[in-house]
Amino acid sequence: MPFLGRDSYVGFGEETVWGTAVARTLWFRLVSENLRRTVTKVPRGVLAEAGASGNIRSHYRSQDKVSGDIVLLAGYEGQGVLWKHALWGTPSTTGPVGAIYTHTYKLGTAPPTGGLTVEVIRGTATTAGLYEGMRITKMTWEIEAGGLVRITLSVLGQTSTLPAAGTATVTANELDVIHSQVGVVVWNAQNYAARMVRVEIDNKLVERQLLGDLTMKEPKQGDFRDVRVSMDAELENDNLQAGYTADTESNLTCAITGVSSRTMALTLHKAYIDDNSAPMSQVGVIAENTVFRGQSDGTDEGFQIAIANTQATALAA
């Protein structure tokens, strides 16, 4: 019987040593994933290697690595570990106010000591994909009018195995972030009601391979990190175009208000407009597309998110 994709989950565990698998304690229902272990195989490349037909006779293994994307729904609870590994900063917690704690995650200077162990329970399959030494090279948080917030994790890792599928224990308090809960985007003292908001945190991690090993070494930063917010809105004035041409810098904020006092607050620090356009091709409302880029000022490093929920610690949050 073929395996089905229904009842698929993804689990995460924080490694203490990069590439050494640990138990998966944080589970989510999976939207999609395309993680794969890629073993690169190369013909030997000598002129006398061909058989009588001109075909190759042998090859060797050049590289063994893991990469791909994981997509899940954003929630108000249980995703603090993902924000920590995407942003690298040490999270902080204040409260409670009543039963609500506020956890703040910021850009930091270096990734956590260990990576992530990731397990994908592949629907009705009897085995799972177990991936070790996973680093988040890019995190995308995106919402469109009419939808739910989705998080996409682009990851690089060391290796994988196919153990028997584990048991997923999903938080009993799954609270999705719904489009109707997302407030206006505020920049340069102006409010913008958006059709779409996308946050992209690109850590610019690169693969590393050294002599003596087929598998990848721990990915490291290869360029300056890049944090952007893209916004699609309806064109109502020339404020964003004016800010673009004047090279205005201002914090960008967006507040999200969920149920039972759960909230999120996004801040892109010292943001400037990297691109702005309002193309026309139809009779209806003109859409304006704007891309903001965050910067460090030495204190605020470019981006932070504050999440308020009932969890007492930032990594349980």
Side-chain angles (χ1 to χ4, degrees):
M1 293 290 292
F3 298 136
L4 304 178
R6 59 177 174 81
D7 296 327
S8 292
Y9 299 87
V10 59
F12 298 87
E14 279 198 286
E15 298 170 352
T16 54
V17 177
W18 181 82
T20 300
V22 296
R24 282 67 65 200
T25 57
L26 189 63
W27 289 92
F28 303 99
R29 303 178 201 277
L30 190 62
V31 173
S32 67
E33 61 89 19
N34 61 7
L35 299 182
R36 61 174 299 186
R37 179 176 176 180
T38 303
V39 182
T40 303
K41 302 174 184 181
V42 181
R44 287 183 63 214
V46 293
L47 295 178
E49 178 66 11
S53 66
N55 195 11
I56 65 168
R57 289 190 178 192
S58 61
H59 68 279
Y60 68 97
R61 290 182 296 161
S62 169
Q63 187 183 82
D64 190 339
K65 67 176 183 179
V66 172
S67 62
D69 295 333
I70 303 164
V71 182
L72 59 151
L73 295 178
Y76 290 96
E77 309 224 359
Q79 295 179 343
V81 167
L82 303 184
W83 285 107
K84 170 189 171 183
H85 281 259
L87 295 177
W88 301 358
T90 301
S92 62
T93 297
T94 59
V97 176
I100 299 298
Y101 297 82
T102 299
H103 316 282
T104 303
Y105 308 85
K106 300 181 178 182
L107 287 179
T109 57
T113 302
L116 293 168
T117 298
V118 179
E119 181 178 348
V120 176
I121 295 179
R122 303 174 299 171
T124 61
T126 55
T127 58
L130 183 63
Y131 304 89
E132 304 165 12
M134 304 296 276
R135 289 285 191 201
I136 298 174
T137 185
K138 186 175 183 179
M139 181 183 196
T140 303
W141 183 103
E142 183 171 3
I143 181 65
E144 295 183 2
L148 300 174
V149 175
R150 290 189 176 193
I151 290 176
T152 301
L153 305 174
S154 299
V155 293
L156 296 173
Q158 184 183 47
T159 190
S160 68
T161 56
L162 294 170
T167 301
T169 304
V170 179
T171 175
N173 197 13
E174 273 189 306
L175 294 172
D176 296 331
V177 184
I178 305 170
H179 71 99
S180 57
Q181 300 169 348
V182 179
V184 297
V185 174
V186 182
W187 182 78
N188 197 28
Q190 299 293 319
N191 295 345
Y192 300 94
R195 294 176 175 177
M196 183 280 297
V197 175
R198 180 171 59 249
V199 179
E200 295 174 286
I201 302 155
D202 192 344
N203 292 321
K204 302 292 186 180
L205 298 183
V206 295
E207 300 169 357
R208 299 168 55 235
Q209 186 176 22
L210 302 177
L211 294 175
D213 199 345
L214 277 174
T215 59
M216 294 294 98
K217 299 304 180 183
E218 182 178 354
K220 296 293 185 181
Q221 185 179 347
D223 201 349
F224 292 109
R225 299 168 81 187
D226 189 346
V227 185
R228 297 172 184 257
V229 171
S230 300
M231 178 182 72
D232 291 350
E234 297 179 344
L235 181 64
E236 296 182 345
N237 53 54
D238 296 324
N239 291 341
L240 292 173
Q241 179 62 207
Y244 174 50
T245 56
D247 198 24
T248 303
E249 295 179 351
S250 174
N251 282 357
L252 178 151
T253 61
C254 182
I256 300 132
T257 304
V259 298
S260 303
S261 300
R262 272 77 165 180
T263 64
M264 289 184 179
L266 309 174
T267 304
L268 189 69
H269 299 122
K270 200 181 174 185
Y272 66 92
I273 297 177
D274 196 46
D275 190 35
N276 174 263
S277 63
M280 292 186 294
S281 61
Q282 60 184 12
V283 174
V285 174
I286 301 173
E288 184 173 27
N289 316 117
T290 309
V291 180
F292 303 86
R293 183 171 183 178
Q295 303 173 99
S296 169
D297 63 9
T299 301
D300 295 319
E301 292 297 331
F303 179 80
Q304 73 174 43
I305 181 170
I307 302 174
N309 57 33
T310 59
Q311 302 301 315
T313 67
L315 298 185

